[in-house]
Amino acid sequence: MKEFYIDCDGIKLHAKLDRPDEKEKSPLCILVHGFTGYMEEEHIAAAQKAINDAGVSVLRAEMYGHGKSDGEFINHTLYKWVTNILKVIEYARGLDFVTDLYMCGHSQGGLLTMLAGAMCADDLKAIVPLSPAWMIPENARNGIVLGNRFDPEHIPDKVVCDKWELSGDYLRVAQTIHAEDAISGYKGRVLIIHGDDDETVPFSYSEKAVSLYENAELVNIHGTDHCFTGHLDEMTDAIRDFFGKL
Ligand code: FER
C-alpha cells in the first residue's frame, strides 16, 4: 500500500493505492466514500479488498472536506468533488502500470461516480455506484436535504443538523446538477449494488437508474441498509464477481 496526496488546485487530496501485484500491470479502480465518509470505513475497506481480490488495483481518494484531505466539511460542494475527481482520474491515467480504468463510489460518492462516468466516458471502462445518492440534486430542488427541509427558492446560509452543517452553496450547487443527463451520457458497463432496506437512499432510485442506463445491472442485497451492515460479504461477492468477469 502507498499513501500520498494528490494536488487539486492547491488542495491536498489524501489517497491510498493498493495493488494486487506490484510487479504486474493491472486495471485500476478509483474508490470514493460518501457524505461524511472516509476511506477506512468498513464498507469502503471491504470494497477495496474485494476489488483487489479480482486482480484490480484500487486508488482510494478522499474528497474535499472529508477524511485527511484539505478543506472543511461545511465548505464542500458537489462541484468541488467533481473538480477533485477529475484530478484523481488524470492522476490515475498517468500511472504507467494501469491498463483500464474503473470507478466505484458509495452514496454521494456513487452520485459522483455517475457524474464522472459521463464526463470521462472514454477513460472509465466500467462504473460501480454503491447505494448511489443520485436523488440529492432532485431533493435539493424540492427543498430537502437528508430529510431536512429548506426553502429551495430562498436558500439559507446553512443547514444545521446534530451531526453536520451544510452551506447554502452546497444546496445551490446541488440544485444545478441533473443526474439523468449523466446516466444517459454513459454507455459503458454499470453495476449498481444497493440494499432494499436502505433508509437514506431509497432502493427504488437504483431500480430507476438501472432501467435508464444502457448497460446496467442491479444487485439487491436483500434486507440490508445504506452501508450494507451485516451483509458486507454479499456486497463484496457482487463486486468480486463483476470485476473478475470484466
Ligand atoms: C441526501 C441523501 C443522501 C443527502 C446526502 C445523501 C446531502 C448522502 C448520503 C451519503 O453519502 O451517505 O439528501 O443530502
Side-chain angles (χ1 to χ4, degrees):
M1 189 275 288
K2 283 201 185 78
E3 182 174 15
F4 53 96
Y5 289 85
I6 298 169
D7 175 71
C8 179
D9 304 331
I11 294 292
K12 289 199 318 283
L13 302 175
H14 179 225
K16 283 187 181 174
L17 175 64
D18 288 276
R19 296 173 62 181
D21 184 340
E22 301 270 330
K23 291 185 221 80
E24 297 283 338
K25 284 193 174 234
S26 75
L28 179 138
C29 182
I30 294 164
L31 175 60
V32 176
H33 56 81
F35 180 89
T36 71
Y38 59 105
M39 65 167 70
E40 306 300 349
E41 286 176 293
E42 223 182 327
H43 56 291
I44 301 298
Q48 173 248 307
K49 289 189 185 72
I51 300 168
N52 279 164
D53 288 347
V56 176
S57 296
V58 179
L59 178 62
R60 278 177 292 169
E62 288 169 338
M63 302 291 100
Y64 186 103
H66 286 67
K68 292 183 184 160
S69 290
D70 283 349
E72 295 301 319
F73 177 83
I74 189 168
N75 294 326
H76 96 279
T77 70
L78 287 163
Y79 285 171
K80 284 181 180 163
W81 277 33
V82 165
T83 306
N84 294 164
I85 206 63
L86 291 174
K87 273 285 180 246
V88 172
I89 291 169
E90 181 185 306
Y91 174 87
R93 235 198 277 117
L95 293 169
D96 56 9
F97 72 86
V98 172
T99 55
D100 286 336
L101 261 191
Y102 313 126
M103 182 168 169
C104 174
H106 178 248
S107 198
Q108 182 166 290
L111 168 60
L112 186 69
T113 301
M114 294 161 106
L115 299 175
M119 294 174 91
C120 303
D122 287 337
D123 290 313
L124 297 172
K125 292 281 183 287
I127 60 171
V128 181
L130 307 172
S131 320
W134 70 281
M135 75 304 176
I136 292 176
E138 181 188 314
N139 280 359
R141 285 188 284 277
N142 290 327
I144 301 165
V145 63
L146 267 165
N148 298 272
R149 297 214 146 263
F150 64 94
D151 180 348
E153 281 163 24
H154 302 281
I155 305 263
D157 288 341
K158 57 183 177 177
V159 176
V160 181
C161 244
D162 301 350
K163 297 199 184 110
W164 45 258
E165 290 187 3
L166 272 179
S167 70
D169 285 348
Y170 177 94
L171 307 171
R172 288 184 182 93
V173 164
Q175 285 186 338
T176 70
I177 291 172
H178 292 272
E180 302 79 1
D181 293 350
I183 291 177
S184 57
Y186 188 72
K187 316 288 180 207
R189 281 193 64 183
V190 182
L191 170 69
I192 300 178
I193 308 177
H194 204 151
D196 57 11
D197 261 2
D198 187 339
E199 290 179 349
T200 307
V201 178
F203 181 74
S204 57
Y205 278 92
S206 283
E207 292 180 312
K208 178 150 183 225
V210 93
S211 72
L212 294 174
Y213 269 118
E214 215 171 272
N215 192 6
E217 59 188 295
L218 170 62
V219 172
N220 174 9
I221 311 295
H222 182 60
T224 193
D225 63 12
H226 191 52
C227 296
F228 310 101
T229 311
H231 295 258
L232 282 176
D233 287 355
E234 290 154 71
M235 185 270 277
T236 54
D237 282 351
I239 283 183
R240 235 180 263 109
D241 207 47
F242 180 77
F243 283 102
K245 288 188 196 140
L246 276 179

